[in-house]
Coordinates of all heavy atoms in Angstrom, one line a residue:
M926 N 55.9 68.9 94.5 CA 55.8 70.1 93.7 C 56.3 71.3 94.5 O 56.9 72.2 93.9 CB 54.3 70.3 93.3 CG 54.0 69.9 92.0 SD 52.4 70.4 91.5 CE 52.7 70.6 89.9
I927 N 56.0 71.4 95.7 CA 56.5 72.5 96.5 C 58.0 72.5 96.6 O 58.6 73.5 96.4 CB 55.9 72.4 98.0 CG1 54.4 72.6 97.9 CG2 56.6 73.5 98.8 CD1 53.8 72.4 99.3
A928 N 58.6 71.4 96.7 CA 60.1 71.3 96.7 C 60.7 71.7 95.4 O 61.7 72.4 95.3 CB 60.5 69.9 97.0
K929 N 60.0 71.4 94.3 CA 60.5 71.8 93.0 C 60.4 73.3 92.8 O 61.3 73.9 92.3 CB 59.7 71.1 91.9 CG 60.3 71.1 90.5 CD 59.5 70.2 89.6 CE 60.3 70.0 88.3 NZ 59.6 69.2 87.4
G930 N 59.3 73.9 93.2 CA 59.1 75.3 93.2 C 60.1 76.0 94.1 O 60.6 77.1 93.7
T931 N 60.4 75.5 95.2 CA 61.4 76.1 96.1 C 62.8 76.0 95.5 O 63.5 77.0 95.6 CB 61.4 75.3 97.5 OG1 60.1 75.2 98.0 CG2 62.3 76.0 98.5
Q932 N 63.1 74.9 94.9 CA 64.4 74.8 94.2 C 64.5 75.8 93.1 O 65.6 76.5 93.0 CB 64.6 73.4 93.7 CG 66.0 73.2 93.1 CD 66.1 71.8 92.6 OE1 65.2 71.0 92.5 NE2 67.4 71.4 92.4
A933 N 63.5 76.0 92.3 CA 63.6 77.0 91.2 C 63.7 78.4 91.8 O 64.5 79.2 91.3 CB 62.3 76.9 90.4
K934 N 63.0 78.7 92.9 CA 63.1 80.0 93.5 C 64.5 80.2 94.0 O 65.1 81.3 93.9 CB 62.1 80.1 94.6 CG 61.9 81.5 95.2 CD 60.8 81.5 96.2 CE 60.6 82.9 96.7 NZ 59.5 83.0 97.6
S935 N 65.1 79.2 94.6 CA 66.4 79.3 95.2 C 67.4 79.6 94.1 O 68.3 80.3 94.2 CB 66.8 78.0 96.0 OG 68.1 78.1 96.4
R936 N 67.3 78.9 93.0 CA 68.2 79.1 91.8 C 68.1 80.5 91.3 O 69.1 81.1 91.0 CB 67.8 78.1 90.7 CG 68.5 76.8 90.9 CD 68.4 76.0 89.6 NE 69.0 74.7 89.8 CZ 68.9 73.7 89.0 NH1 68.1 73.8 87.9 NH2 69.5 72.6 89.2
S937 N 66.9 81.0 91.1 CA 66.8 82.3 90.5 C 67.4 83.4 91.5 O 67.9 84.3 91.0 CB 65.4 82.6 90.2 OG 64.6 82.7 91.4
M938 N 67.3 83.2 92.8 CA 67.9 84.1 93.7 C 69.4 84.1 93.7 O 70.1 85.1 94.0 CB 67.3 83.9 95.1 CG 65.9 84.2 95.2 SD 65.2 83.8 96.8 CE 66.2 84.8 97.9
S939 N 70.0 82.9 93.5 CA 71.5 82.8 93.5 C 72.1 83.0 92.2 O 73.3 82.7 92.0 CB 71.9 81.5 94.1 OG 71.4 80.4 93.2
G940 N 71.4 83.4 91.2 CA 72.0 83.6 89.9 C 72.1 82.4 89.1 O 73.0 82.3 88.2
G941 N 71.4 81.4 89.3 CA 71.4 80.1 88.6 C 72.3 79.1 89.2 O 72.5 78.0 88.7
R942 N 73.0 79.4 90.2 CA 74.0 78.5 90.9 C 73.3 77.9 92.1 O 72.6 78.6 92.9 CB 75.3 79.1 91.3 CG 76.1 79.5 90.1 CD 77.2 80.3 90.5 NE 76.7 81.7 90.8 CZ 77.3 82.7 91.3 NH1 78.6 82.6 91.5 NH2 76.7 83.8 91.5
T943 N 73.5 76.6 92.4 CA 73.0 76.1 93.6 C 74.2 76.0 94.6 O 75.3 75.9 94.2 CB 72.5 74.6 93.4 OG1 73.5 73.9 92.8 CG2 71.3 74.7 92.5
R944 N 73.9 76.2 95.9 CA 74.9 76.1 96.9 C 74.8 74.8 97.7 O 73.7 74.3 97.9 CB 74.7 77.3 97.8 CG 74.7 78.6 97.1 CD 74.6 79.8 98.1 NE 75.9 80.0 98.7 CZ 76.2 80.7 99.7 NH1 75.2 81.4 100.3 NH2 77.4 80.9 100.2
T945 N 76.0 74.3 98.0 CA 76.0 73.1 98.8 C 76.2 73.5 100.3 O 77.0 74.4 100.6 CB 77.1 72.2 98.4 OG1 78.4 72.9 98.5 CG2 76.9 71.7 97.0
P946 N 75.4 72.9 101.2 CA 75.5 73.3 102.6 C 76.9 72.8 103.1 O 77.5 71.8 102.7 CB 74.4 72.5 103.3 CG 74.1 71.4 102.3 CD 74.4 71.9 101.0
C947 N 77.4 73.6 104.0 CA 78.7 73.3 104.7 C 78.5 72.8 106.1 O 77.5 73.2 106.7 CB 79.6 74.6 104.8 SG 80.0 75.3 103.2
A948 N 79.4 72.1 106.6 CA 79.3 71.6 108.0 C 79.6 72.8 108.8 O 80.2 73.8 108.4 CB 80.3 70.5 108.2
A949 N 79.1 72.7 110.1 CA 79.3 73.9 111.0 C 80.8 74.1 111.2 O 81.6 73.2 111.5 CB 78.6 73.5 112.3
G950 N 81.2 75.4 111.0 CA 82.6 75.8 111.2 C 83.5 75.6 110.0 O 84.6 76.1 110.0
D951 N 83.0 74.9 109.0 CA 83.8 74.7 107.8 C 83.7 76.0 106.9 O 82.7 76.7 106.8 CB 83.3 73.6 106.9 CG 83.6 72.2 107.5 OD1 84.4 72.2 108.4 OD2 83.1 71.2 107.0
K952 N 84.8 76.3 106.3 CA 84.8 77.5 105.4 C 84.5 76.9 104.0 O 84.9 75.8 103.7 CB 86.2 78.1 105.4 CG 86.6 78.8 106.6 CD 87.9 79.5 106.5 CE 88.3 80.2 107.8 NZ 89.5 80.9 107.7
P953 N 83.8 77.6 103.2 CA 83.5 77.2 101.9 C 84.8 77.1 101.1 O 85.7 78.0 101.2 CB 82.5 78.2 101.3 CG 82.6 79.4 102.2 CD 83.1 78.9 103.5
T954 N 85.0 76.1 100.3 CA 86.2 76.0 99.5 C 86.1 77.0 98.4 O 85.1 77.2 97.8 CB 86.3 74.6 98.9 OG1 85.2 74.3 98.1 CG2 86.5 73.6 100.0
P955 N 87.2 77.7 98.1 CA 87.2 78.7 97.0 C 87.0 78.0 95.6 O 87.4 76.8 95.5 CB 88.6 79.3 97.1 CG 89.4 78.4 97.8 CD 88.5 77.6 98.7
R956 N 86.5 78.7 94.7 CA 86.3 78.2 93.4 C 87.7 78.1 92.7 O 88.6 78.8 93.1 CB 85.4 79.1 92.6 CG 84.0 79.1 93.2 CD 83.1 79.8 92.3 NE 81.7 79.8 92.9 CZ 81.1 80.9 93.2 NH1 81.6 82.1 93.0 NH2 79.9 80.8 93.7
P957 N 87.8 77.2 91.8 CA 89.2 77.0 91.2 C 89.7 78.2 90.5 O 90.9 78.5 90.7 CB 88.9 75.9 90.1 CG 87.7 75.1 90.6 CD 86.9 76.1 91.3
R958 N 88.9 79.0 89.8 CA 89.4 80.2 89.2 C 89.9 81.2 90.3 O 90.9 81.9 90.1 CB 88.3 80.9 88.3 CG 88.3 80.3 87.0 CD 87.4 81.2 86.1 NE 87.2 80.5 84.9 CZ 86.2 80.8 84.0 NH1 85.4 81.8 84.3 NH2 86.1 80.1 82.9
E959 N 89.1 81.4 91.3 CA 89.5 82.3 92.4 C 90.7 81.9 93.1 O 91.6 82.7 93.4 CB 88.3 82.4 93.4 CG 87.1 83.1 92.9 CD 85.9 83.1 93.8 OE1 86.1 82.4 94.9 OE2 84.9 83.6 93.5
A960 N 90.9 80.6 93.3 CA 92.1 80.0 93.9 C 93.3 80.3 93.0 O 94.4 80.6 93.5 CB 91.9 78.6 94.2
A961 N 93.1 80.1 91.7 CA 94.2 80.3 90.8 C 94.6 81.7 90.7 O 95.8 82.0 90.7 CB 93.8 79.8 89.4
R962 N 93.6 82.6 90.7 CA 93.9 84.1 90.7 C 94.7 84.5 92.0 O 95.6 85.2 91.9 CB 92.7 84.9 90.6 CG 92.4 85.3 89.2 CD 91.2 86.3 89.1 NE 90.2 85.6 88.3 CZ 88.9 85.5 88.6 NH1 88.5 86.1 89.7 NH2 88.1 84.9 87.8
Y963 N 94.2 83.9 93.1 CA 94.9 84.2 94.4 C 96.3 83.7 94.4 O 97.2 84.4 94.8 CB 94.1 83.6 95.5 CG 94.7 83.8 96.9 CD1 94.7 85.1 97.5 CD2 95.4 82.8 97.5 CE1 95.3 85.3 98.7 CE2 96.0 83.0 98.7 CZ 95.9 84.2 99.3 OH 96.5 84.4 100.6
A964 N 96.5 82.5 93.9 CA 97.9 81.9 93.8 C 98.7 82.7 92.9 O 99.9 83.0 93.2 CB 97.8 80.5 93.4
A965 N 98.2 83.1 91.8 CA 99.0 83.9 90.8 C 99.4 85.3 91.4 O 100.5 85.7 91.3 CB 98.2 84.1 89.5
A966 N 98.4 85.9 92.1 CA 98.7 87.2 92.8 C 99.8 87.0 93.8 O 100.7 87.9 94.0 CB 97.4 87.8 93.3
T967 N 99.7 86.0 94.6 CA 100.7 85.7 95.7 C 102.0 85.5 95.1 O 103.0 86.0 95.5 CB 100.2 84.5 96.5 OG1 98.9 84.8 97.1 CG2 101.2 84.2 97.6
M968 N 102.1 84.6 94.0 CA 103.4 84.4 93.4 C 104.0 85.6 92.8 O 105.2 85.9 92.9 CB 103.2 83.3 92.3 CG 102.9 81.9 92.9 SD 104.2 81.3 94.0 CE 105.5 81.1 92.9
H969 N 103.1 86.5 92.2 CA 103.6 87.8 91.7 C 104.2 88.6 92.7 O 105.3 89.2 92.6 CB 102.5 88.5 90.9 CG 102.8 89.8 90.4 ND1 103.6 89.9 89.2 CD2 102.6 91.0 90.8 CE1 103.8 91.2 88.9 NE2 103.2 91.9 89.9
A970 N 103.5 88.7 93.9 CA 104.0 89.5 95.0 C 105.3 89.0 95.5 O 106.2 89.8 95.8 CB 103.0 89.6 96.1
I971 N 105.5 87.7 95.6 CA 106.7 87.1 96.1 C 107.8 87.4 95.1 O 109.0 87.8 95.4 CB 106.6 85.6 96.3 CG1 105.7 85.4 97.5 CG2 107.9 84.9 96.5 CD1 105.3 83.9 97.7
A972 N 107.6 87.3 93.8 CA 108.6 87.5 92.8 C 109.0 89.0 92.8 O 110.2 89.3 92.6 CB 108.0 87.2 91.4
M973 N 108.0 89.9 93.0 CA 108.4 91.3 93.0 C 109.2 91.7 94.2 O 110.1 92.5 94.2 CB 107.1 92.2 93.0 CG 106.3 92.1 91.7 SD 107.3 92.4 90.2 CE 107.5 94.1 90.4
S974 N 108.9 91.0 95.4 CA 109.7 91.3 96.6 C 111.1 90.8 96.4 O 112.1 91.4 96.8 CB 109.1 90.6 97.8 OG 107.8 91.1 98.1
C975 N 111.3 89.6 95.8 CA 112.6 89.0 95.5 C 113.4 89.9 94.5 O 114.6 90.2 94.8 CB 112.5 87.6 95.0 SG 111.9 86.4 96.2
A976 N 112.7 90.4 93.5 CA 113.4 91.3 92.5 C 113.8 92.6 93.2 O 114.9 93.1 93.0 CB 112.5 91.6 91.4
S977 N 113.0 93.1 94.1 CA 113.4 94.4 94.8 C 114.6 94.1 95.7 O 115.5 95.0 95.8 CB 112.2 94.8 95.6 OG 112.5 96.0 96.4
L978 N 114.6 93.0 96.4 CA 115.7 92.7 97.3 C 117.0 92.5 96.5 O 118.0 93.0 96.9 CB 115.4 91.4 98.0 CG 116.4 90.9 99.0 CD1 116.6 92.0 100.1 CD2 116.0 89.6 99.6
V979 N 116.9 91.9 95.3 CA 118.1 91.7 94.5 C 118.6 93.0 94.0 O 119.8 93.3 94.0 CB 117.9 90.7 93.3 CG1 119.0 90.7 92.3 CG2 117.7 89.3 93.9
R980 N 117.7 93.9 93.6 CA 118.1 95.3 93.2 C 118.8 96.0 94.3 O 119.8 96.7 94.1 CB 116.9 96.1 92.7 CG 116.5 95.7 91.3 CD 115.5 96.7 90.7 NE 114.3 96.8 91.5 CZ 113.2 96.0 91.3 NH1 113.2 95.1 90.3 NH2 112.1 96.2 92.0
T981 N 118.3 95.9 95.5 CA 118.9 96.6 96.7 C 120.3 96.0 96.9 O 121.2 96.8 97.1 CB 118.0 96.3 97.9 OG1 116.7 96.9 97.7 CG2 118.6 97.0 99.2
W982 N 120.5 94.7 96.9 CA 121.8 94.1 97.1 C 122.8 94.6 96.0 O 123.9 94.9 96.3 CB 121.7 92.6 97.0 CG 121.0 92.0 98.3 CD1 120.8 92.6 99.5 CD2 120.6 90.7 98.4 NE1 120.2 91.7 100.3 CE2 120.1 90.5 99.7 CE3 120.6 89.6 97.5 CZ2 119.6 89.3 100.2 CZ3 120.1 88.4 98.0 CH2 119.6 88.2 99.3
H983 N 122.3 94.6 94.8 CA 123.1 95.1 93.7 C 123.6 96.5 93.8 O 124.8 96.9 93.6 CB 122.4 94.9 92.3 CG 123.3 95.3 91.1 ND1 124.3 94.5 90.7 CD2 123.2 96.3 90.3 CE1 124.9 95.1 89.7 NE2 124.2 96.2 89.4
A984 N 122.6 97.4 94.2 CA 123.0 98.8 94.5 C 124.0 98.9 95.6 O 124.9 99.7 95.5 CB 121.7 99.6 94.8
R985 N 123.8 98.2 96.7 CA 124.8 98.2 97.8 C 126.2 97.9 97.3 O 127.1 98.5 97.7 CB 124.3 97.3 98.9 CG 123.3 97.8 99.8 CD 123.0 96.8 100.9 NE 121.8 97.2 101.6 CZ 121.1 96.3 102.3 NH1 121.5 95.1 102.4 NH2 120.0 96.7 102.9
Q986 N 126.2 96.8 96.6 CA 127.5 96.3 96.1 C 128.2 97.3 95.2 O 129.4 97.6 95.3 CB 127.4 94.9 95.4 CG 128.7 94.3 95.1 CD 129.6 94.0 96.4 OE1 129.1 93.8 97.5 NE2 130.9 94.0 96.2
A987 N 127.4 97.9 94.3 CA 128.0 98.9 93.4 C 128.5 100.1 94.2 O 129.5 100.7 93.8 CB 126.9 99.3 92.4
E988 N 127.7 100.6 95.2 CA 128.1 101.7 96.0 C 129.4 101.4 96.7 O 130.3 102.3 96.8 CB 127.1 102.1 97.0 CG 125.8 102.7 96.3 CD 124.7 102.9 97.3 OE1 124.9 102.7 98.5 OE2 123.6 103.3 96.8
R989 N 129.6 100.2 97.2 CA 130.8 99.8 98.0 C 132.0 99.7 97.0 O 133.1 100.1 97.4 CB 130.5 98.5 98.7 CG 129.6 98.8 99.9 CD 129.1 97.6 100.6 NE 128.2 98.0 101.6 CZ 127.4 97.1 102.2 NH1 127.4 95.8 101.9 NH2 126.6 97.6 103.2
V990 N 131.8 99.2 95.8 CA 132.9 99.2 94.9 C 133.3 100.6 94.5 O 134.5 100.9 94.4 CB 132.5 98.4 93.6 CG1 133.4 98.6 92.5 CG2 132.3 96.9 93.9
F991 N 132.3 101.5 94.3 CA 132.6 102.9 94.0 C 133.4 103.6 95.2 O 134.3 104.3 95.0 CB 131.3 103.7 93.7 CG 131.5 105.1 93.5 CD1 132.1 105.6 92.3 CD2 131.2 106.1 94.5 CE1 132.3 107.0 92.1 CE2 131.3 107.4 94.3 CZ 131.9 107.9 93.1
L992 N 132.9 103.3 96.4 CA 133.6 103.8 97.6 C 135.0 103.4 97.6 O 135.9 104.2 98.0 CB 132.8 103.4 98.8 CG 133.2 104.1 100.2 CD1 132.9 105.6 100.1 CD2 132.4 103.5 101.3
E993 N 135.3 102.2 97.3 CA 136.7 101.7 97.3 C 137.6 102.4 96.3 O 138.8 102.5 96.4 CB 136.8 100.2 97.0 CG 136.3 99.3 98.1 CD 136.4 97.8 97.7 OE1 136.0 97.5 96.6 OE2 136.9 97.1 98.6
S994 N 137.0 102.9 95.2 CA 137.7 103.6 94.1 C 138.0 105.1 94.4 O 138.8 105.7 93.7 CB 137.0 103.5 92.8 OG 135.9 104.3 92.8
L995 N 137.5 105.6 95.5 CA 137.7 107.0 95.8 C 139.1 107.3 96.3 O 139.7 106.4 97.0 CB 136.7 107.5 96.8 CG 135.2 107.6 96.4 CD1 134.3 108.0 97.5 CD2 135.0 108.5 95.2
L996 N 139.6 108.4 96.0 CA 141.0 108.8 96.5 C 140.8 109.5 97.8 O 139.7 109.9 98.3 CB 141.6 109.8 95.5 CG 141.8 109.3 94.1 CD1 142.2 110.4 93.1 CD2 142.7 108.1 94.1
D997 N 142.0 109.6 98.5 CA 141.9 110.2 99.9 C 141.3 111.6 99.9 O 140.5 111.9 100.9 CB 143.4 110.2 100.5 CG 143.9 108.8 100.8 OD1 143.0 107.9 101.0 OD2 145.1 108.6 100.8
F998 N 141.7 112.5 99.0 CA 141.1 113.8 99.1 C 139.6 113.8 98.8 O 138.9 114.6 99.4 CB 141.8 114.8 98.1 CG 141.4 114.7 96.7 CD1 140.4 115.5 96.2 CD2 142.0 113.8 95.8 CE1 140.0 115.4 94.9 CE2 141.5 113.7 94.5 CZ 140.5 114.5 94.0
Q999 N 139.1 112.8 98.1 CA 137.6 112.7 97.9 C 137.0 112.2 99.1 O 135.9 112.7 99.5 CB 137.3 111.8 96.7 CG 137.8 112.3 95.3 CD 137.7 111.3 94.3 OE1 138.1 110.1 94.5 NE2 137.3 111.7 93.1
L1000 N 137.6 111.3 99.8 CA 137.1 110.9 101.1 C 137.0 112.0 102.1 O 136.1 112.1 102.8 CB 137.9 109.7 101.6 CG 137.8 108.4 100.9 CD1 138.9 107.4 101.5 CD2 136.5 107.8 101.1
Q1001 N 138.1 112.8 102.1 CA 138.1 114.0 103.0 C 137.0 114.9 102.7 O 136.4 115.4 103.7 CB 139.5 114.7 102.9 CG 140.5 114.2 103.8 CD 141.8 115.1 103.7 OE1 142.0 115.7 102.7 NE2 142.6 115.1 104.8
Q1002 N 136.7 115.2 101.5 CA 135.6 116.1 101.1 C 134.3 115.5 101.6 O 133.4 116.3 101.9 CB 135.6 116.3 99.6 CG 136.8 117.1 99.1 CD 136.8 117.2 97.6 OE1 136.1 116.5 96.9 NE2 137.5 118.2 97.1
M1003 N 134.2 114.2 101.6 CA 132.9 113.6 102.1 C 132.9 113.5 103.6 O 131.8 113.1 104.1 CB 132.7 112.2 101.4 CG 132.5 112.3 99.9 SD 132.5 110.7 99.1 CE 131.5 109.7 100.0
G1004 N 134.0 113.7 104.3 CA 134.0 113.6 105.7 C 134.2 112.2 106.1 O 133.8 111.8 107.2
L1005 N 134.9 111.3 105.3 CA 135.1 109.9 105.6 C 136.6 109.7 105.8 O 137.4 110.4 105.1 CB 134.5 109.0 104.5 CG 133.0 109.1 104.3 CD1 132.7 108.2 103.1 CD2 132.3 108.6 105.5
S1006 N 136.9 108.7 106.5 CA 138.4 108.3 106.7 C 138.6 107.0 105.9 O 137.7 106.4 105.4 CB 138.7 108.1 108.1 OG 138.0 107.0 108.7
R1007 N 139.9 106.6 105.8 CA 140.2 105.4 105.2 C 139.5 104.2 105.9 O 139.1 103.2 105.3 CB 141.7 105.1 105.1 CG 142.4 106.0 104.1 CD 143.9 105.7 104.2 NE 144.6 106.4 103.2 CZ 145.9 106.4 103.0 NH1 146.6 105.6 103.8 NH2 146.5 107.1 102.1
E1008 N 139.5 104.3 107.2 CA 138.9 103.3 108.1 C 137.4 103.2 107.8 O 136.9 102.1 107.7 CB 139.2 103.6 109.6 CG 138.6 102.5 110.5 CD 139.1 101.1 110.3 OE1 140.2 101.0 109.8 OE2 138.4 100.2 110.6
D1009 N 136.7 104.3 107.6 CA 135.3 104.3 107.3 C 135.1 103.6 106.0 O 134.2 102.8 105.8 CB 134.7 105.7 107.2 CG 134.7 106.4 108.5 OD1 134.7 105.8 109.6 OD2 134.8 107.7 108.5
R1010 N 135.9 103.9 105.0 CA 135.8 103.3 103.7 C 136.1 101.8 103.8 O 135.3 101.0 103.2 CB 136.8 103.9 102.7 CG 136.9 103.2 101.4 CD 137.8 103.7 100.4 NE 139.2 103.8 100.8 CZ 140.2 104.3 100.2 NH1 139.9 104.9 99.0 NH2 141.4 104.3 100.6
R1011 N 137.1 101.4 104.5 CA 137.4 99.9 104.6 C 136.3 99.2 105.3 O 135.8 98.1 104.9 CB 138.7 99.7 105.4 CG 139.1 98.3 105.5 CD 140.1 98.0 106.6 NE 139.5 98.3 107.9 CZ 138.6 97.5 108.6 NH1 138.2 96.4 108.0 NH2 138.2 97.8 109.8
R1012 N 135.7 99.8 106.4 CA 134.7 99.1 107.1 C 133.4 99.0 106.3 O 132.8 97.9 106.3 CB 134.3 100.0 108.4 CG 133.3 99.3 109.3 CD 133.0 100.1 110.6 NE 134.1 100.8 111.1 CZ 134.2 102.2 111.2 NH1 133.3 102.9 110.7 NH2 135.2 102.7 111.7
E1013 N 133.1 100.0 105.5 CA 131.9 99.9 104.6 C 132.1 98.9 103.5 O 131.2 98.2 103.1 CB 131.5 101.3 104.2 CG 130.2 101.3 103.4 CD 129.0 100.9 104.2 OE1 129.0 101.1 105.4 OE2 128.0 100.4 103.6
A1014 N 133.3 99.0 102.9 CA 133.6 98.2 101.7 C 133.7 96.7 101.9 O 133.5 95.9 101.0 CB 134.9 98.7 101.0
T1015 N 134.0 96.4 103.2 CA 134.2 94.9 103.5 C 132.9 94.3 104.0 O 132.9 93.1 104.2 CB 135.3 94.7 104.5 OG1 135.0 95.5 105.7 CG2 136.7 95.2 104.0
K1016 N 131.9 95.1 104.1 CA 130.6 94.4 104.5 C 130.0 93.6 103.4 O 130.2 93.9 102.2 CB 129.5 95.5 104.8 CG 129.7 96.3 106.1 CD 128.5 97.2 106.2 CE 128.6 98.1 107.4 NZ 127.5 99.0 107.5
P1017 N 129.4 92.5 103.7 CA 128.7 91.7 102.7 C 127.5 92.4 102.1 O 127.0 93.3 102.7 CB 128.2 90.4 103.5 CG 128.8 90.5 104.8 CD 129.3 91.9 105.1
F1018 N 127.2 92.1 100.9 CA 126.1 92.9 100.2 C 124.8 92.8 100.9 O 124.0 93.7 100.7 CB 126.0 92.4 98.7 CG 125.6 91.0 98.6 CD1 124.2 90.6 98.6 CD2 126.5 89.9 98.5 CE1 123.8 89.3 98.4 CE2 126.1 88.6 98.4 CZ 124.8 88.3 98.3
W1019 N 124.5 91.8 101.7 CA 123.2 91.7 102.3 C 123.1 92.5 103.6 O 122.0 92.7 104.1 CB 122.9 90.2 102.6 CG 123.8 89.5 103.5 CD1 123.8 89.5 104.9 CD2 124.9 88.7 103.2 NE1 124.8 88.8 105.4 CE2 125.5 88.3 104.3 CE3 125.5 88.4 101.9 CZ2 126.7 87.5 104.3 CZ3 126.6 87.6 101.9 CH2 127.2 87.1 103.1
Q1020 N 124.2 93.0 104.1 CA 124.2 93.9 105.3 C 124.0 95.3 104.9 O 124.7 95.8 104.0 CB 125.5 93.7 106.1 CG 125.5 92.5 106.9 CD 126.7 92.4 107.8 OE1 127.7 93.2 107.6 NE2 126.7 91.6 108.8
G1021 N 123.1 96.0 105.6 CA 122.8 97.4 105.3 C 123.7 98.4 105.9 O 124.7 98.3 106.4

């Protein structure tokens, strides 16, 4: 009877859930919903980082194409030479 009363008291304190004891040093395993939320948040963060990187690459390439289209007097006004334009325009899109 004491064990039964102790169990009921333990349940009411934990909100109706019983806890399983862990071995020393073991981390409790996350609940499936929490693990799924964590995985979804991680995947979302990775997708957003990849999308940001692709946007950066696209912007770099567009700027380099635009730079190639400038005339000599426009380059002079910007303080750039033909060599500066060639050097920047021939860089791969992933290089800053």
Side-chain angles (χ1 to χ4, degrees):
M926 262 189 149
I927 294 174
K929 197 172 190 182
T931 306
Q932 186 179 13
K934 188 175 185 181
S935 174
R936 271 193 183 167
S937 65
M938 290 176 60
S939 66
R942 290 172 285 179
T943 57
R944 301 183 81 191
T945 56
C947 298
D951 286 350
K952 293 183 180 179
T954 57
R956 295 189 179 119
R958 276 192 190 160
E959 291 171 359
R962 265 190 240 132
Y963 177 76
T967 303
M968 292 302 291
H969 179 73
I971 290 170
M973 295 306 291
S974 294
C975 289
S977 176
L978 184 61
V979 169
R980 281 192 300 271
T981 300
W982 287 347
H983 182 71
R985 280 183 193 159
Q986 189 61 26
E988 289 172 6
R989 290 173 181 163
V990 167
F991 176 73
L992 190 60
E993 284 181 318
S994 72
L995 294 176
L996 301 173
D997 288 336
F998 80 92
Q999 292 169 320
L1000 289 172
Q1001 269 184 335
Q1002 288 175 345
M1003 293 172 48
L1005 297 174
S1006 67
R1007 285 182 179 178
E1008 180 60 27
D1009 294 333
R1010 173 178 60 185
R1011 185 201 59 77
R1012 189 179 320 114
E1013 185 65 28
T1015 58
K1016 284 184 183 178
F1018 63 89
W1019 59 86
Q1020 282 186 343

